[in-house]
């Protein structure tokens, strides 16, 4: 970011302004939506294993309270600074609005490289950060609900919920103070694969739109499409898995130290196991090596899924990209220069702000589970199975025919938690894709899907302010 003419937060503001032109909201209201409402910048001391006291720099930003609570991850990284946390918090407001998750945007950050600390030190830092948030009323199931982000995961979320609960004894909904928790601490099934599955659902919906596909010169549907995935981490792995399971061919997988290509398609699980054993995807049996990993982005394919890092497609390589659709699974994989080149070349960019919203959507489901104090499916699973069994036996009796055992089990099956979470995510991603596309199609002046997504977000947040009676 350092050689950019403007900061990360300013670049978010620029994208906002570009889209705001296509809305009719009062200038003052637009200014309010853009602003970060509350910024908590903190420093606290932590005693390290060697007896040294280190002063830790950390932040929590609540961008918008147009809906409560605020929601957004906590990252542990050397790069954390106030501007970055502000930008990420504002993106969370827009992301939540687009996928109809009724939260305001928030984000937190601790400026540490987690690899340089022992587990015990990390636990002390996380717990102290949580108690600082409690002291200032910056955390709570109805106030602000963090989640994992870069450098944090289930373990840190378990420390946060435990600290919160010990400081707020008797708070019945305390488990909803953070999401991304282990299942045993109130987490929800289906969260691990949520972002990759959301990426798949979003792209599948785009591929099911005949007019869009005709414009890209592609046939309707995901089946048979060729896909290149960059990054075989959580998001890339699961995106590849769902594309493959639905009949697409993942012809290349790129990792940080090399990429592989196979025209017949790759199985992500087998490639992952190979990488675990050999430290690289290179030399995977039956595949061609691509030693310069970034060259995989320029392969012939229908769909390109960058699922690793930011700024990987930029002014230098965007003209060499041959994909017809780019699905931004990572956050910010395209620079604004690349965006302009793709608009000019007619390549469809499906934007990160909503495409990778599967994580926050399922976080919303986790929060609802925590507030309702019941596992999804517990109330209806048995009832549904009994009813399905009854309907099936009636139909078999009336028709005199019997369905196969496999079909019987499928029809009878009542929903488990993971079924309901996947289904809720599918509905969310389909609805969000259609809303954005409708906005884009309704105004030929809107240059790209990203701007249409922003317009959608601005309209929803502005409307909520109206609903609150703030701007009658
Ligand atoms: P991850 O750490 O699990 O995976 C990233 C993968 O990318 C790793 O396998 C890494 O080796 C690989 N990689 C690193 N540099 C590379 C390079 N130069 N070329 C190719 N591969 C490279 O991370 P993740 O959780 O999968 O996140 C990936 C991206 O998706 C990030 O931008 C993240 O912000 C975004 N994202 C993640 C989630 C989520 O739920 N995990 C949600 C929204 C957005």
């Amino acid at each position: 970011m350092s050689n950019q003419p403007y900061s990360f937060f300013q670049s978010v503001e620029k994208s906002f302004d570009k889209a705001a032109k296509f809305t009719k909201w009062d200038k003052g209201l637009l200014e309010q939506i853009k602003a970060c409402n509350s910024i908590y910048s903190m420093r606290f001391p932590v005693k390290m294993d060697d007896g040294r006291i280190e002063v830790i720099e950390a932040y929590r930003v609540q961008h918008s309270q147009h809906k409560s609570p605020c929601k957004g991850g906590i990252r542990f990284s050397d790069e954390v600074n106030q501007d970055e946390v502000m930008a990420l918090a504002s993106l969370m407001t827009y992301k939540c609005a687009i996928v109809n998750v009724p939260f305001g945007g928030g984000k937190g950050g601790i400026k540490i490289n987690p690899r340089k600390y022992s587990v015990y030190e990390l636990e002390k830092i996380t717990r102290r950060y949580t108690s600082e948030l409690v002291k200032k009323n910056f955390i709570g199931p109805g106030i602000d609900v963090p989640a994992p982000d870069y450098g944090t995961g289930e373990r840190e979320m378990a420390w946060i919920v435990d600290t919160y609960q010990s400081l707020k004894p008797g708070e019945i909904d305390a488990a909803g103070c953070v999401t991304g928790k282990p299942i045993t601490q109130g987490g929800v099934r289906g969260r691990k694969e949520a972002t990759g599955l959301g990426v798949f659902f979003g792209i599948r919906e785009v591929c099911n739109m005949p007019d869009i596909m005709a414009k890209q010169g592609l046939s309707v549907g995901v089946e048979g499409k060729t896909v290149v995935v960059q990054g075989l981490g959580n998001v890339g792995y699961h995106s590849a898995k769902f594309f493959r399971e639905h009949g697409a061919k993942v012809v290349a997988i790129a990792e940080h130290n090399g990429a592989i290509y196979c025209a017949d398609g790759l199985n992500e699980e087998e490639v992952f196991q190979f990488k675990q054993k050999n430290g690289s995807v290179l030399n995977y049996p039956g595949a061609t090596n691509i030693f310069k990993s970034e060259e995989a982005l320029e392969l012939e394919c229908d769909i390109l899924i960058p699922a690793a890092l930011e700024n990987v497609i930029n002014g230098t390589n965007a003209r060499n990209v041959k994909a017809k659709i780019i699905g931004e699974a990572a956050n910010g994989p395209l620079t604004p220069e690349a965006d302009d080149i793709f608009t000019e070349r007619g390549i469809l960019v499906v934007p990160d702000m909503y495409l990778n919203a599967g994580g926050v959507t399922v976080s919303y489901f986790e929060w609802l589970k925590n507030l309702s104090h019941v596992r999804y499916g517990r109330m209806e699973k048995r009832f549904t199975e009994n009813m399905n069994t009854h309907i099936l036996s009636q139909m078999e009796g009336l028709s005199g025919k019997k369905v196969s055992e496999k079909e019987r089990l499928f029809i009878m099956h009542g929903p488990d938690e993971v079924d309901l979470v996947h289904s809720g995510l599918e509905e969310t991603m389909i609805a969000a894709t259609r809303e954005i596309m409708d906005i884009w199609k309704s105004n030929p002046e809107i240059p790209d899907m990203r701007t249409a997504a922003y317009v959608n977000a601005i309209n929803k947040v502005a409307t909520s302010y109206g609903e609150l009676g703030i701007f009658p």
Side-chain angles (χ1 to χ4, degrees):
M1 292 306 292
S2 51
N3 53 0
Q4 297 282 351
Y6 32 81
S7 76
F8 187 10
F9 183 65
Q10 284 169 331
S11 77
V12 175
E13 289 194 305
K14 269 175 82 78
S15 303
F16 182 100
D17 292 341
K18 186 173 162 190
K21 286 191 307 222
F22 302 105
T23 72
K24 297 193 175 70
W25 301 100
D26 182 280
K27 198 165 165 285
L29 178 52
L30 292 169
E31 284 305 311
Q32 167 55 43
I33 294 172
K34 265 200 289 185
C36 282
N37 287 359
S38 319
I39 300 169
Y40 180 18
S41 160
M42 66 191 100
R43 304 288 183 276
F44 52 80
V46 176
K47 197 170 209 171
M48 297 298 149
D49 292 348
D50 61 4
R52 223 171 11 94
I53 289 174
E54 199 173 310
V55 178
I56 305 290
E57 176 182 335
Y59 303 89
R60 183 73 192 173
V61 171
Q62 295 171 349
H63 172 256
S64 175
Q65 280 104 351
H66 73 288
K67 302 258 180 197
S68 288
C70 292
K71 185 93 193 78
I74 296 177
R75 65 171 54 177
F76 287 3
S77 154
D78 264 342
E79 311 289 313
V80 162
N81 59 65
Q82 186 173 315
D83 182 87
E84 180 190 76
V85 184
M86 286 166 67
L88 293 167
S90 51
L91 287 173
M92 283 305 297
T93 294
Y94 310 136
K95 183 177 279 196
C96 288
I98 290 170
V99 289
N100 297 311
V101 165
F103 294 147
K107 202 81 183 186
I110 304 185
K111 190 175 165 57
I112 53 166
N113 176 351
R115 267 169 264 161
K116 290 195 182 150
Y117 295 84
S118 70
V119 172
Y120 182 55
E121 288 168 341
L122 286 175
E123 179 170 352
K124 276 167 90 175
I125 294 169
T126 310
R127 287 186 181 276
R128 177 62 190 257
Y129 175 74
T130 310
S131 56
E132 292 296 322
L133 295 178
V134 171
K135 274 196 263 177
K136 291 280 193 295
N137 224 10
F138 260 69
I139 186 171
I143 300 168
D144 190 350
V145 181
D149 193 64
Y150 191 85
T152 58
E154 286 189 349
R155 181 183 66 181
E156 287 72 18
M157 303 307 114
W159 290 333
I160 292 173
V161 71
D162 186 60
T163 308
Y164 184 85
Q165 282 171 327
S166 65
L167 292 172
K168 299 265 184 176
E171 196 176 297
I172 186 79
D173 292 330
C177 75
V178 67
T179 60
K181 303 179 290 293
I183 307 277
T184 50
Q185 314 300 117
V188 74
R189 289 160 188 84
R191 197 184 185 284
K192 191 165 174 235
E193 66 273 32
T195 305
L197 183 57
V199 168
F200 168 73
F201 284 143
I203 297 289
R204 184 190 64 182
E205 190 55 22
V206 168
C207 289
N208 284 341
M209 295 176 168
D211 50 341
I212 301 288
M213 287 298 99
K215 232 161 87 188
Q216 302 312 119
L218 292 170
S219 60
V220 173
V222 153
E223 218 179 322
K225 296 267 181 308
T226 52
V227 182
V228 170
V229 177
Q230 185 195 38
L232 196 59
N234 179 310
V235 179
Y237 173 93
H238 288 105
S239 304
K241 172 180 154 75
F242 293 111
F243 274 111
R244 179 185 56 75
E245 286 180 354
H246 289 81
K249 243 195 261 177
V250 179
V251 292
I253 293 177
E255 255 297 322
H256 65 98
N257 49 3
I260 48 169
Y261 173 83
C262 177
D264 295 334
L266 295 158
N267 179 306
E268 74 296 328
E269 174 57 22
E270 288 166 13
V271 176
F272 179 76
Q273 292 304 337
F274 181 88
K275 182 183 153 242
Q276 291 298 91
K277 218 165 117 200
N278 303 288
S280 167
V281 294
L282 290 171
N283 301 322
Y284 180 74
T288 311
N289 286 332
I290 302 170
F291 292 100
K292 277 188 164 171
S293 177
E294 62 275 16
E295 285 177 6
L297 299 168
E298 301 172 15
L299 287 169
E300 199 78 54
C301 66
D302 298 321
I303 302 166
L304 173 63
I305 304 287
L309 302 171
E310 60 282 349
N311 298 338
V312 290
I313 307 179
N314 44 50
T316 317
N317 60 357
R319 293 212 178 269
N320 304 334
V321 170
K322 295 175 195 71
K324 316 247 176 20
I325 298 173
I326 301 172
E328 290 189 313
N331 279 315
L334 270 58
T335 64
E337 296 78 38
D339 242 356
D340 291 343
I341 292 170
F342 292 134
T343 304
E344 177 201 314
R345 292 181 59 204
I347 291 173
L348 176 64
V349 176
V350 185
D352 49 358
M353 206 209 283
Y354 103 96
L355 192 66
N356 66 27
V360 71
T361 303
V362 173
S363 271
Y364 169 47
F365 300 156
E366 180 177 333
W367 179 78
L368 290 174
K369 175 186 180 179
N370 296 148
L371 298 195
S372 61
H373 301 265
V374 63
R375 167 175 52 81
Y376 286 109
R378 178 170 173 177
M379 301 300 285
E380 66 269 43
K381 182 177 169 68
R382 190 63 47 193
F383 178 85
T384 307
E385 287 193 354
N386 290 344
M387 188 57 79
N388 290 347
T389 308
H390 183 70
I391 294 169
L392 192 58
S393 66
Q394 285 291 311
M395 287 177 69
E396 286 182 335
L398 288 169
S399 66
K401 290 179 183 163
K402 288 219 174 283
V403 300
S404 69
E405 194 51 26
K406 193 172 162 221
E407 270 307 306
R408 169 183 308 281
L409 290 174
F410 180 72
I411 295 168
M412 278 167 43
H413 173 76
D416 290 311
E417 182 162 271
V418 71
D419 300 319
L420 293 167
V421 165
H422 284 182
S423 159
L425 177 59
E426 181 175 14
E427 168 59 18
T428 302
M429 294 307 294
I430 290 175
T433 310
R434 289 185 186 170
E435 281 180 17
I436 296 169
M437 282 297 187
D438 285 348
I439 288 176
W440 195 17
K441 287 176 197 169
S442 73
N443 187 344
E445 304 271 295
I446 296 178
D448 48 42
M449 202 176 164
R450 192 188 313 281
T451 310
Y454 262 99
V455 170
N456 191 17
I458 293 169
N459 285 342
K460 285 185 184 172
V461 179
T463 307
S464 303
Y465 272 107
E467 281 164 5
L468 293 174
I470 295 170
F471 295 95

